[in-house]
Amino acid sequence: MPNSAHGEAARVAADAWSRNPHGKEQLAAAYRKIRSSTEGNDRTIRDIFGQPWADCWDMGQLFCFSVLDGLVRRGHVAVAQLPLDLEEPPYRDRDRAANQEILTTLPAHVRGVIDQNQHGAERDGFIEWALPLSAMKFEDDQVVPFSAPLGDAPLEVGNTYASRTCLHLAEHGAVARWPYGYWTVYVLTLEPRTALMHYDDSELGGVYFPGKSAMNDLYSYAHQVKLLRRKM
């Protein structure tokens, strides 16, 4: 399990949820959804949110899965798909040059960069786009087209934790995922896009577990990461 501020913040949040009947049911629902998501779109969404090592989802990662799922289902996060012409899934982390070569086949207005020297870094690289991205999001329980404004996002390749995906959304308002087994890069953008980690604690409004909404849960998680980082 991740020995980091984002991992510990997730465990703290999950512990708080587990002492509340509603929160406990949300954790259980996340577990059921993960274990039943073995194929199709459900499996894709699961792998976008996170591909933990040995497929081990602890309580903290269940919390983050639930938050991410809520953000998407309630229309707070739009998802764009960037197909790769080579139609190759990513290689392991040590094959960074090969992964960089594959990313050169992204659409012309998109640039993907793998950090060739990173070791235990906060991200594997980044994606930036010079034109709005064609994305999809939920609106009134319907999936509708959405245009994500031009920008950039940290890139996570292959294995990653849902807590890191949450952290990138909180810090950057966006995250790009290239999961193992896929020849598509997925970009998640928070709508409206904002970087919650740059808010003052007073603006974050304290910690609420479980929150009244997915956005409240993300705010609370961001606040918890800030508190833990000060202690590390």
Side-chain angles (χ1 to χ4, degrees):
M1 294 298 99
N3 183 21
S4 59
H6 67 82
E8 181 60 26
R11 286 189 286 270
V12 169
D15 182 64
W17 270 25
S18 68
R19 297 193 297 271
N20 177 286
H22 177 62
K24 186 181 295 185
E25 173 52 35
Q26 284 186 269
L27 291 171
Y31 177 82
R32 292 192 297 269
K33 182 170 285 191
I34 287 169
R35 292 308 167 206
S36 66
S37 301
T38 58
E39 59 185 5
N41 290 335
D42 288 343
R43 180 57 187 254
T44 299
I45 288 293
R46 167 185 162 176
D47 290 339
I48 292 171
F49 290 170
Q51 283 183 322
W53 284 258
D55 198 32
C56 186
W57 294 80
D58 70 3
M59 295 293 281
Q61 300 310 305
L62 292 180
F63 162 80
C64 287
F65 180 94
S66 181
V67 170
L68 291 166
D69 190 56
L71 289 169
V72 170
R73 300 293 175 187
R74 290 169 177 80
H76 297 304
V77 165
V79 182
Q81 300 183 43
L82 303 175
L84 295 156
D85 280 351
L86 285 182
E87 295 190 352
E88 289 190 42
Y91 294 97
R92 297 294 172 179
D93 281 354
R94 62 178 177 272
D95 296 322
R96 294 176 187 136
N99 284 337
Q100 181 62 67
E101 183 64 26
I102 297 172
L103 287 182
T104 63
T105 71
L106 282 164
H109 63 286
V110 180
R111 185 167 76 106
V113 175
I114 298 288
D115 184 346
Q116 298 297 309
N117 301 308
Q118 69 92 10
H119 180 72
E122 288 292 322
R123 62 185 187 179
D124 292 326
F126 67 88
I127 294 285
E128 60 182 10
W129 53 99
L131 295 173
L133 294 180
S134 177
M136 304 295 288
K137 63 177 290 191
F138 276 92
E139 186 174 295
D140 297 327
D141 295 325
Q142 301 292 321
V143 178
V144 298
F146 181 80
S147 181
L150 58 88
D152 58 76
L155 171 66
E156 292 293 341
V157 179
N159 291 126
T160 194
Y161 290 106
S163 55
R164 187 176 290 281
T165 304
C166 269
L167 179 64
H168 287 317
L169 281 176
E171 286 191 316
H172 304 285
V175 59
R177 279 284 290 131
W178 186 16
Y180 284 138
Y182 296 80
W183 44 84
T184 299
V185 174
Y186 299 90
V187 179
L188 281 61
T189 57
L190 200 60
E191 303 302 332
R193 183 166 179 176
T194 184
L196 302 181
M197 298 296 286
H198 301 304
Y199 283 27
D200 293 334
D201 287 347
S202 59
E203 294 177 284
L204 286 173
V207 183
Y208 307 98
F209 294 121
K212 295 180 180 179
S213 72
M215 279 299 293
N216 279 349
D217 294 334
L218 187 63
Y219 271 77
S220 301
Y221 172 74
H223 178 76
Q224 194 65 242
V225 173
K226 288 181 71 173
L227 293 177
L228 288 168
R229 278 179 168 171
R230 290 170 186 166
K231 298 177 182 178
M232 291 183 170

